Amino acid sequence: MEKYIGVLTGGGDCPGLNAAIRGVVRRALIEDIPVLGIRAGWQGLIDGRLEPLTRYSVAGMQYRGGTMLGTSRCNPLTGEESLQRIQHNWRKFGLGALIVVGGNGTLSCASTMYAQHGYSIVGIPKTIDNDVPGTDYTFGFDTAVSIATEAIDRLHTTAEAHHRVMVVEVMGRHSGWIATFAGIAGGADLILIPERPFRLSEICEMLQKRREEGRPFSIVVVAEDSRPHPDEDFLTPEQRKRIYHEEHIGGIGQLVARKIEERINISARVTVLGYIQRGGTPTAYDRVLATRLGVHAVEMVTRGQFGMMASLSGTRIVEFPLDQMANRSKTVDPELFRTAEVFFG
Ligand code: F6P
């Protein structure tokens, strides 16, 4: 292949993106294929912000968080003008293939750009949320879980000292993977996830029972998109609108804590982990997974396996059709959540 491979990172950043970019560049070099890095996701392809990535520009990048290319939540499919500019830049920069590193939104765009607009695209799934269908795990997730687990460990000791309920709100968008994993690892007494609407009466009953049994402290992990069961909804329409805003989800932990205090007169404190979960150095696991996906994506390009993403199946990297993951979300495995429930109360 004489043309260039372009690579872009889109959507929220996550630890491991630079390791994936480095994997792409190093594997492409073996084939003598030059790689162009595209700035700020799809926006860079629209604006023509592409620059060569070399062995030296990606050197040592595997341990750095964020993305050396920058990112955006730009959707190239929203206007005819954007599509025309992409077509123009694709030719101008001599692209032969594009590797798109993204989560649900970015990879759904990639699927349409391949199927309806004919671009030669290979996807690489990433996100701390682990909610991309068709891959066992996404890189970024392990790092986020490690950070959340460490926070829970630290909250445990102060909760115990002060006889408090510690509510820990974690990210995850519409799925509860981070909450479930970090909750199991950190020994949470209760985990609330979007997949299982919660009842305040049950939460309070459980906390009170713990207190009566001589355990006057508790750790409650709350995924940011957790919702009250319709039978026991306590949110006003304004609160609902603010907490579950698509642009920025957050705030349910605070309300759960206040309700617990009101109902059972126990001191409750809230910790919102926020962007700490997304920033900084990736774990070794995430670096290795991202590197393997980057290398595999280039091999897919050389084999002409477009319209697919490199994905993790068990311990192997395989190919998965983009149209089968597009506009879908992977929710928490009920069997995994049953394991978490063994430790509730
Ligand atoms: O998808 C990753 C994620 O960090 C979610 O967990 C969170 O809801 C969202 O992104 C936050 O996005 P933003 O960076 O746009 O605030």
Side-chain angles (χ1 to χ4, degrees):
M1 198 175 100
E2 282 166 24
K3 290 182 167 177
Y4 289 87
I5 292 179
V7 58
L8 67 81
T9 55
D13 76 322
C14 77
L17 285 168
N18 289 320
I21 296 166
R22 174 173 168 268
V24 166
V25 173
R26 293 294 297 267
R27 183 64 186 87
L29 276 174
I30 293 173
E31 303 293 330
D32 274 330
I33 307 173
V35 178
L36 289 176
I38 301 166
R39 290 266 163 207
W42 293 107
Q43 191 63 52
L45 199 50
I46 295 169
D47 299 340
R49 282 187 287 153
L50 290 81
E51 59 199 57
L53 291 177
T54 64
R55 183 186 174 121
Y56 302 102
S57 60
V58 298
M61 290 306 289
Q62 73 280 7
Y63 60 81
R64 283 195 49 195
T67 161
M68 63 184 288
L69 295 175
T71 186
S72 70
R73 294 201 187 274
C74 162
N75 179 348
L77 297 160
T78 48
E80 201 43 48
E81 200 195 325
S82 303
L83 288 169
Q84 276 170 11
R85 284 166 69 176
I86 287 178
Q87 197 181 33
H88 170 81
N89 286 325
W90 186 279
R91 286 209 200 100
K92 178 177 164 191
F93 288 92
L95 292 179
L98 175 63
I99 294 176
V100 176
V101 193
N104 284 322
T106 306
L107 292 180
S108 296
C109 286
S111 178
T112 307
M113 291 294 276
Y114 164 76
Q116 290 178 23
H117 300 278
Y119 291 103
S120 303
I121 290 178
V122 167
I124 296 181
K126 65 85 210 174
T127 167
I128 62 165
D129 302 336
N130 195 37
D131 60 350
V132 178
T135 188
D136 287 353
Y137 293 104
T138 49
F139 65 80
F141 175 62
D142 185 66
T143 307
V145 168
S146 303
I147 293 164
T149 302
E150 199 206 324
I152 294 168
D153 290 348
R154 290 176 184 279
L155 290 167
H156 244 122
T157 55
T158 171
E160 200 168 351
H162 285 267
H163 295 179
R164 277 178 178 149
V165 173
M166 289 293 187
V167 175
V168 193
E169 185 178 305
V170 298
M171 282 184 164
R173 236 179 162 75
H174 307 309
S175 75
W177 286 100
I178 298 176
T180 306
F181 264 64
I184 292 173
D189 303 300
L190 188 62
I191 303 169
L192 308 183
I193 59 171
E195 291 89 338
R196 298 279 192 98
F198 62 87
R199 287 184 173 82
L200 260 178
S201 58
E202 289 173 4
I203 297 174
C204 292
E205 211 175 291
M206 187 281 276
L207 296 174
Q208 222 160 2
K209 189 160 170 272
R210 274 179 62 83
R211 184 160 56 176
E212 281 158 20
E213 287 170 356
R215 285 168 299 164
F217 69 96
S218 299
I219 301 285
V220 180
V221 177
V222 183
E224 61 184 1
D225 196 39
S226 303
R227 290 160 193 252
H229 195 281
D231 288 355
E232 283 192 32
D233 198 355
F234 56 88
L235 298 174
T236 64
E238 292 72 41
Q239 285 170 333
R240 183 172 293 281
K241 214 169 136 191
R242 176 171 49 79
I243 294 170
Y244 307 114
H245 198 289
E246 263 310 295
E247 292 269 306
H248 183 83
I249 306 170
I252 187 64
Q254 189 62 248
L255 286 174
V256 167
R258 296 296 70 84
K259 289 285 165 193
I260 290 170
E261 282 189 328
E262 260 169 52
R263 290 198 183 188
I264 55 171
N265 190 31
I266 189 169
S267 165
R269 293 285 193 271
V270 186
T271 303
V272 180
L273 293 185
Y275 296 90
I276 298 280
Q277 295 160 96
R278 239 166 66 175
T281 313
T283 59
Y285 178 89
D286 279 340
R287 295 181 205 185
V288 174
L289 177 57
T291 301
R292 292 177 74 196
L293 292 171
V295 166
H296 196 89
V298 173
E299 288 166 3
M300 289 167 70
V301 169
T302 60
R303 291 195 292 261
Q305 291 176 303
F306 299 117
M308 316 273 276
M309 67 178 189
S311 80
L312 180 70
S313 174
T315 57
R316 300 193 55 229
I317 305 295
V318 298
E319 299 85 37
F320 189 84
L322 283 172
D323 63 355
Q324 283 181 37
M325 64 67 55
N327 306 309
R328 290 170 51 217
S329 182
K330 184 178 73 178
T331 51
V332 169
D333 176 3
E335 196 187 318
L336 173 73
F337 200 70
R338 276 200 295 279
T339 300
E341 281 174 323
V342 168
F343 303 91
F344 288 3

